Amino acid sequence: MPPGTRADALPSIPRQRTPGGAQPDPIDELADRLDDFVAAAVHPDEIAALLESDGLSDDQIRERYGVKNSFALAEELYERVPRRYPEPEGPPHDRWRSAGLLGCLLRGIVFALPGLGYVLGAPFLTGPRGDFGLPAGTVPLLAGALCGWTWNQGLAHRAYSWLGLGDRTAARRALLVGAPTGALLGTLVALAVAGTATPAAALFATGQSCYLAAATTLLVLGHERPLLAALTPMTAGAALTLVHPLPEVLRLALLLASLTGVTLLALLKVLPPRSRGPAGGCGPVGADRAVPRAPSGRHPTRHTAAPPSAQPAGSHAAHPAGTRAPRPAGSRAAQPAGSRAAGAARVGAGGTPTAPGRATHPRPTPTPGTPGPALTASLPYALFGLGSGVLVVHAALGDALTGAATTAVAAPAAVALTLSMGPAEYLLHRFRSGSLAGLRSTTTPTAFRRTTARTLITCLTAYLTTLLALTLATTALWPHAPATDPTRLTALLLLGTVMWTGLLLQSFGAITGAATLCVLAALAQTLALATRTGTPPTVGLAVYGTAATAQCVLVCALLGRATAHR
């Protein structure tokens, strides 16, 4: 103050009062303009970030609003506006609803149809019986199938990882190199254990390895319908064989026709296109395998859908999924502070903050120089394929391997298990959809765990009911098949529990635990067979029951956390 000025003098001329009374509080006006954003903020720092992103300096804030800085203004706004968390406009985003029941059932049929190839190829698999009471031609088939299931499971995961990164060209390249390599390995393994098998059986095992590689390629790229069409000659021939025996030449021609068609289709799908499209247009084909847009603004780094497949005889490699579902917009369960993007607002006219609008999420595009998925990341998926394949082989041929009975005892159960993979895929999608709905509807971790547990029990019960119905139906229709006793039926349902929970863990990326349990269960059952310990039904009941219990505990421990479902 200059000398001689009174102590009550003001440093500046105050603003004139309006004739109608006091001037409106500028902080209240700002709170009205930013009402939606401030009400949804979970911490004052989010509001401060918005104010700073709009270019408001501390000097401007002191002059306009009479507070010290942006943090003080943010605290004032946070205190004046009540908390509320509005739901997003329109129906909530649920990408797991994209998988329809008919499409999943189609995949289950595609998984089971290759088993008809063994009906046509039965004359080529005859010969002296080996040590386990099986025809000599069956041994190279089993060895080649297990090798193919193991390799193709890992290959499918690697291809899906590239698709999730948005690089379809790299996925095709992985399939173009990996599928022939897997076919060659399966052939070499089959020839190595052929022993006294006939040359026809060795050639059949070679064709089986080629088919598994080509079918995996088509399924990964989402071409189930062309694969189903290519299997038409073999399917028709098998149906005719059940009515009237066909000559061996015609059987061979039908098998070669389907094998050639599937192989050519796979080759056409993985060969480089003649004209390259835009870089951003690559992505997986098929609605149930499309890379989803994360509602929270994040994009998954790997493929997120989980179309499953068990691996009985004639089935294809599973389609692993290694990511977790992104947290949906509007969910409040276990929501951390600062989870909303505070800086999404834009500056309005005259530097006034405006409420943030919807953000747009571009499609993920491959970045030049981005490192690809590690080869070791696919190893657990390959081990899961090996373990589950061995378990299914024991379920289908356990009695025949011990010489206790023929394959007609457990063959209907193996067919039912293969067909059930279609409904299993559909129910896995329903579980993922139900878990996302639980994230939106619950507000406490305890309530979310209860919701997830109910959804899990509902989906698992529906799957086991479907497996039971399919088993009873196939047993009734199978020629000369004895009635299924309660012990075998219980063991099959426990094996179904192992397969479904294993695929569920796989779809969440928790593959290590599922692969470990499946491999240990397969090793235990193989050792029991080699040492002649117990009968196949009782050993299977013990092994499947232990594995199913362990995997259910693992599922409950993992999926009870809200962070696992983001």
Side-chain angles (χ1 to χ4, degrees), residues 94 97 328 431-442 448 451:
D94 188 354
R97 289 283 181 182
F431 175 81
R432 300 300 297 267
S433 177
S435 65
L436 292 184
L439 283 176
R440 291 190 297 266
S441 60
T442 57
F448 176 73
T451 301

Side-chain angles (χ1 to χ4, degrees), residues 107 110-111 148 151-153 155-157 159-160 163 168 171-183 209-224 226-227 261-271 284-285 289 316-319:
R107 293 176 66 85
V110 170
F111 295 150
W151 179 271
N152 291 325
Q153 184 83 352
L155 175 62
H157 171 262
Y160 272 129
L163 290 175
R168 191 175 182 83
R172 285 174 171 169
R173 190 184 307 115
L175 292 171
L176 183 60
V177 175
T181 304
S209 299
C210 295
Y211 170 79
L212 288 174
T216 299
T217 299
L218 291 174
L219 289 171
V220 168
L221 297 178
H223 299 292
E224 295 90 352
L227 176 58
V262 174
T263 305
L264 289 178
L265 280 174
L267 187 61
L268 290 175
K269 299 302 180 182
V270 297
L271 285 178
V285 176
R289 281 165 301 285
H316 311 297
H319 299 269

Side-chain angles (χ1 to χ4, degrees), residues 241-477:
T241 302
L242 297 176
V243 178
H244 186 274
L246 297 179
E248 292 187 4
V249 176
L250 183 56
R251 291 170 180 258
L252 180 61
L254 292 173
L255 288 172
L256 290 177
S258 290
L259 177 61
T260 303
V262 174
T263 305
L264 289 178
L265 280 174
L267 187 61
L268 290 175
K269 299 302 180 182
V270 297
L271 285 178
R274 294 182 179 179
S275 59
R276 297 183 180 272
C282 52
V285 176
D288 59 333
R289 281 165 301 285
V291 177
R293 308 280 86 70
S296 59
R298 298 178 299 175
H299 297 292
T301 58
R302 286 178 291 172
H303 198 271
T304 50
S309 167
Q311 293 162 353
S315 68
H316 311 297
H319 299 269
T323 60
R324 299 165 178 82
R327 177 172 56 85
S331 63
R332 300 193 295 265
Q335 194 169 17
S339 60
R340 291 177 173 81
R346 297 294 180 264
V347 180
T352 304
T354 57
R358 291 185 179 179
T360 58
H361 308 297
R363 294 177 59 88
T365 57
T367 303
T370 301
L375 288 173
T376 54
S378 300
L379 180 60
Y381 293 87
L383 293 177
F384 178 80
L386 175 62
S388 59
V390 172
L391 290 177
V392 174
V393 167
H394 279 295
L397 301 175
D399 294 279
L401 292 175
T402 57
T406 62
T407 56
V409 175
V415 173
L417 187 62
T418 309
L419 288 172
S420 71
M421 289 300 102
E425 176 182 341
Y426 177 77
L427 291 169
L428 284 178
H429 282 81
R430 297 286 73 75
F431 175 81
R432 300 300 297 267
S433 177
S435 65
L436 292 184
L439 283 176
R440 291 190 297 266
S441 60
T442 57
T443 57
T444 63
T446 302
F448 176 73
R449 282 195 294 268
R450 286 198 299 265
T451 301
T452 305
R454 285 196 301 266
T455 307
L456 176 64
I457 293 173
T458 301
C459 293
L460 181 58
T461 303
Y463 171 69
L464 294 179
T465 302
T466 303
L467 178 59
L468 175 62
L470 289 173
T471 302
L472 296 177
T474 52
T475 302
L477 297 176

Side-chain angles (χ1 to χ4, degrees), residues 6 56 63 79 132-133 147 173 209 215 222 249-250 267 277 337 348 359 366 380 435 492 506 540 551 557:
R6 298 196 316 267
L56 286 176
E63 180 181 352
E79 291 293 333
F132 295 103
C147 179
R173 190 184 307 115
S209 299
V249 176
L250 183 56
L267 187 61
S435 65
L492 179 64
Q506 176 180 287
Q551 288 201 161

